Amino acid sequence: MRHPLIVSTLALAALMIGGCAASAEPRGAAAESEIIATGLAAPWSVAFLADGTALMSERDTARILELLPDGTTRVVGTVEGVTPGGEGGLLGLAVDAEERLYAYSTAASGNRIQRFRLSGSPLRLGTPETVLDGLPSARTHNGGRIAFGPDGMLYATVGDAGERAAAQDPASLAGKILRMTPDGAVPADNPLPGSLVYSLGHRNPQGIAWDAEGTLYAAEFGQDTWDELNVIEPGQNYGWPIVEGIADDDRFVDPVQQWKPADASPSGIAVVGDDLLIANLRGERLRSVPLDDLSASTDRFVGEYGRIRDVVRAPDGSALLVTSNRDGRGDVREGDDVLVGVD
């Protein structure tokens, strides 16, 4: 059911693109957008409950916010023990089939995934349960995105936390995409027996999403040369720090698309309709990649909203994105940070 604030009929053709070359403008009608909520403080992730309620995390305040029908927000709760600094803090959110909220955050002892019951009206955040802790953390390269796959398993992106060589070490959880049960256990069918590691050789992946066929995509920050869009296969190695971008090296899986960091710095991603949408920070744009041609892309809202941290598919099939201009690296604009609805 469409959120009451996303009721305007925008151009549904906005996300339909064609051709095989990247372009700065869509070939069809321009995508339309509207600001739904303002005054957010470096929001990082958006997740939905079954009734369409949107919950958001704020990185530095460690608050979980509920979006209300009038565009205001209320605090559901604050995640205790979060130690924000640099790129760390309260990061990704996910909701399981039992309507429990999962949160990835940085604590003094490392990054962790916790689970919370939600109850009451208005909603309240329950006592945390630890799903997984002791994940590598640093001021940069914390990864932080979590999501439930179509297989019911919980996936998490973990950055290399500045320890580049760890991304190639199967015994380390740094520089990996992890796959676990909702309770944090190792699934019996993981590619490395007894290990949470699903794929390795990542620098700082911050976006994961699945298409209708169950294909897993991940967006990843490169260093100085190339940011990447990857198709993730279980047990495969994506090359960092030995290679960055397309390397034509048989030891590693090449990205299906790459961009200069100035034009990208990809964070959250989402499959919406026939497109993969990618939120970009430094590039200050929403990038649309057609699922039937992963080598193509169209850039939207370039510079219009500033740094874009996350994009998610709303229950009604539209898209929502959040900005990150108050994260210490952006130019703060009036009303920042904002939640934007896109058709």
Side-chain angles (χ1 to χ4, degrees), residues 36-158:
I36 297 170
T38 61
L40 307 174
W44 212 93
S45 181
V46 182
F48 292 94
L49 301 180
D51 65 359
T53 298
L55 301 177
M56 293 177 283
S57 62
E58 288 185 329
R59 188 190 69 184
D60 298 335
T61 68
R63 299 188 304 179
I64 305 291
L65 304 180
E66 176 188 359
L67 177 66
L68 301 177
D70 62 357
T72 60
T73 59
R74 61 169 293 272
V75 179
V76 176
T78 300
V79 178
E80 300 296 330
V82 174
T83 57
E87 297 171 3
L90 178 58
L91 306 178
L93 300 179
V95 175
D96 71 6
E98 297 182 34
E99 297 269 270
R100 297 176 295 185
L101 181 68
Y102 291 67
Y104 187 117
S105 65
T106 308
S109 58
N111 286 318
R112 62 191 179 174
I113 300 173
Q114 296 173 294
R115 181 171 63 200
F116 304 83
R117 291 281 182 183
L118 295 167
S119 62
S121 180
L123 285 175
R124 297 187 302 273
L125 198 64
T127 302
E129 302 175 77
T130 298
V131 174
L132 182 66
D133 60 8
L135 293 171
S137 66
R139 288 189 61 82
T140 59
H141 307 180
N142 288 289
R145 197 68 60 183
I146 54 176
F148 281 93
D151 55 5
M153 297 294 123
L154 178 63
Y155 292 72
T157 68
V158 184

Side-chain angles (χ1 to χ4, degrees), residues 298-322:
T298 299
D299 294 342
R300 306 179 188 278
F301 312 121
V302 179
E304 184 171 341
Y305 294 109
R307 293 164 61 83
I308 303 176
R309 173 65 70 180
D310 195 18
V311 57
V312 296
R313 182 189 181 279
D316 68 350
S318 65
L320 296 178
L321 58 88
V322 291

Side-chain angles (χ1 to χ4, degrees), residues 19-295:
C20 61
S23 60
E25 297 294 336
R27 295 172 183 263
E32 295 190 38
S33 63
E34 57 180 343
I35 293 177
I36 297 170
T38 61
L40 307 174
W44 212 93
S45 181
V46 182
F48 292 94
L49 301 180
D51 65 359
T53 298
L55 301 177
M56 293 177 283
S57 62
E58 288 185 329
R59 188 190 69 184
D60 298 335
T61 68
R63 299 188 304 179
I64 305 291
L65 304 180
E66 176 188 359
L67 177 66
L68 301 177
D70 62 357
T72 60
T73 59
R74 61 169 293 272
V75 179
V76 176
T78 300
V79 178
E80 300 296 330
V82 174
T83 57
E87 297 171 3
L90 178 58
L91 306 178
L93 300 179
V95 175
D96 71 6
E98 297 182 34
E99 297 269 270
R100 297 176 295 185
L101 181 68
Y102 291 67
Y104 187 117
S105 65
T106 308
S109 58
N111 286 318
R112 62 191 179 174
I113 300 173
Q114 296 173 294
R115 181 171 63 200
F116 304 83
R117 291 281 182 183
L118 295 167
S119 62
S121 180
L123 285 175
R124 297 187 302 273
L125 198 64
T127 302
E129 302 175 77
T130 298
V131 174
L132 182 66
D133 60 8
L135 293 171
S137 66
R139 288 189 61 82
T140 59
H141 307 180
N142 288 289
R145 197 68 60 183
I146 54 176
F148 281 93
D151 55 5
M153 297 294 123
L154 178 63
Y155 292 72
T157 68
V158 184
D160 68 9
E163 298 293 333
R164 296 160 53 119
Q168 288 294 320
D169 180 2
S172 170
L173 298 185
K176 309 295 191 299
I177 294 177
L178 308 182
R179 178 177 182 259
M180 67 197 79
T181 70
D183 294 325
V186 177
D189 58 347
N190 264 14
L192 300 178
S195 173
L196 294 173
V197 173
Y198 191 72
S199 63
L200 67 159
H202 300 288
R203 181 176 180 269
N204 191 23
Q206 280 191 9
I208 47 176
W210 291 261
D211 65 19
E213 303 300 320
T215 300
L216 173 58
Y217 303 90
E220 181 168 338
F221 288 85
Q223 185 173 7
D224 302 316
T225 308
W226 297 113
D227 293 336
E228 301 177 356
L229 174 63
N230 288 295
V231 175
I232 303 299
E233 299 289 345
Q236 294 301 304
N237 190 328
Y238 290 80
W240 176 257
I242 301 170
V243 299
E244 182 181 352
I246 297 172
D248 295 319
D249 187 321
D250 291 342
R251 296 173 295 172
F252 310 115
V253 179
D254 278 339
V256 294
Q257 197 164 158
Q258 62 185 19
W259 308 277
K260 292 291 186 183
D263 298 325
S265 298
S267 190
I269 66 176
V271 171
V272 180
D274 297 325
D275 296 285
L276 179 71
L277 304 184
I278 306 172
N280 292 276
L281 291 161
R282 187 176 169 192
E284 298 189 352
R285 67 197 68 192
L286 182 69
R287 180 164 280 126
S288 176
V289 174
L291 292 173
D292 62 0
D293 184 1
L294 296 176
S295 66

